[in-house]
Amino acid sequence: MLDEIAAALEPHGLVPRGGFVFGSLDRAPELADGTRAQSIVLVGHFGSSIWPHFSAWRRLHPNVADPLDSWSKRILNAIATQFGGSAVFPSDRPYLPFQQWAMRAEGLRPSPLGLLIHPQYGLWQAFRGALIFPQPVAFAPRHERGHPCDTCMEKPCLNACPVDAFDGEVYAVARCRDYLATEPGGTCLDGGCRARLACPVGRQYGYVSEQQRFHMAAFAGD
Ligand code: B12
Ligand code: SF4
Ligand code: SF4
């Protein structure tokens, strides 16, 4: 089933990002029929893999609100139904613990910026949703990965923000947003978060310019 899910996601630039079977102590999300899910498959992207597909859809649907969420929902709701499950989404409230799920599914750990870091794709990856199922899905044993931040002595991500929004513990969101509203803040809005760009891991997977601008505008306007 996982191979078939991967094949259904592939034409959209999406990838399955691991999954797991919920334990009896987990607060599993609800399926469409109100019962608790037994298993979950996270879905996301690495680098700009979704961008050509999303952009093409957006040109056909220029007036849709929350376009990336709408695109993701259209695709993942259909694929979930095809495989007898439901879909849940990171931006829907109450927020579901996507990062905790991702740590469990893919073995990733958080960077000092709060974003999970992937040993290959670095900070240039995110989640578009998750497929949840009424039955336990058989997963291969998780591939254990190293955590790049453990061996990164300089931690350039913590020194690149012009307003020191990250101290490794807390992200000063208001300070970042205030800066984005100023003229010099246009550099981040245009080119992406400088703290994220400073990380050497997976740099070649950094988002294309249009995608950087899209995410930064969405974040600044939230
Ligand atoms: C609210 C939120 C924010 C708030 C953060 C407020 C805060 N200080 O925590 C704001 C609006 C600031 C934010 C910003 C961004 N976010 Co955000 N955010 C979320 C959201 C919707 C909910 C978080 C939450 O409360 N979850 C509920 C709790 C119960 O779940 P959890 O897994 O236990 O939560 C973990 C996070 O809260 C995390 N955390 C704590 N502090 C911070 C700070 C930051 C910056 C992040 C990213 C995470 C984080 O630690 C918790 C324990 O693991 C999640 C999606 C989701 N459903 O989780 C995305 C999410 C965490 N965000 C994400 C991203 C990519 C971003 C941005 C980079 C967006 C962008 N520009 O591209 C920015 C970062 C700012 C920048 N300078 O670029 C990704 C992270 C992917 C990854 N690789 O880990 C997520 C998972 C969404 C997604 N679609 O994939 N975000
Ligand atoms: S710069 Fe270093 S510490 Fe910061 S996220 Fe990248 S690998 Fe981790
Ligand atoms: S977007 Fe710019 S101001 Fe905000 S945290 Fe990143 S580098 Fe700092």
Side-chain angles (χ1 to χ4, degrees):
M1 179 163 138
L2 286 173
D3 287 347
E4 287 173 39
I5 290 175
L9 293 170
E10 199 268 340
H12 310 287
L14 290 163
V15 283
R17 298 199 48 186
F20 56 90
V21 175
F22 288 105
S24 56
L25 298 177
D26 286 321
R27 210 180 139 63
E30 281 182 13
L31 294 150
D33 67 5
T35 59
R36 295 265 169 211
Q38 295 282 317
S39 56
I40 183 165
V41 175
L42 276 94
V43 175
H45 63 90
F46 293 127
S48 290
S49 60
I50 55 170
W51 200 249
H53 309 281
F54 168 65
S55 303
W57 176 84
R58 202 173 169 210
R59 279 193 286 277
L60 298 173
H61 304 86
N63 300 320
V64 174
D66 300 325
L68 190 52
D69 287 339
S70 302
W71 177 80
S72 308
K73 286 183 178 182
R74 191 185 59 91
I75 294 165
L76 294 189
N77 282 329
I79 294 178
T81 306
Q82 182 187 339
F83 289 93
S86 304
V88 290
F89 299 93
S91 307
D92 283 354
R93 289 172 193 254
Y95 291 140
L96 290 164
F98 264 81
Q99 288 190 304
Q100 286 182 42
W101 288 342
M103 287 190 253
R104 202 160 152 186
E106 262 188 337
L108 304 188
R109 283 167 48 199
S111 68
L113 304 183
L115 299 165
L116 301 180
I117 185 163
H118 189 285
Q120 183 177 354
Y121 301 99
L123 303 172
W124 304 109
Q125 35 80 29
F127 304 93
R128 299 283 16 117
L131 304 172
I132 55 174
F133 297 100
Q135 77 281 16
V137 170
F139 294 98
R142 199 181 74 190
H143 179 58
E144 288 309 323
R145 306 166 187 276
H147 180 46
C149 305
D150 284 346
T151 48
C152 175
M153 294 309 150
E154 301 277 321
K155 303 209 179 332
C157 59
L158 290 178
N159 298 315
C161 171
V163 290
D164 285 329
F166 297 102
D167 65 3
E169 304 273 328
V170 177
Y171 170 32
V173 181
R175 208 184 308 155
C176 164
R177 281 217 169 103
D178 287 351
Y179 179 73
L180 295 182
T182 66
E183 204 183 323
T187 316
C188 296
L189 282 178
D190 267 354
C193 171
R194 290 192 226 172
R196 205 172 173 188
L197 288 164
C199 175
V201 182
R203 225 171 226 162
Q204 65 273 39
Y205 300 103
Y207 297 158
V208 295
S209 316
E210 208 188 328
Q211 186 176 3
Q212 289 281 20
R213 278 197 294 277
F214 173 87
H215 288 303
M216 289 307 295
F219 162 63
D222 258 356

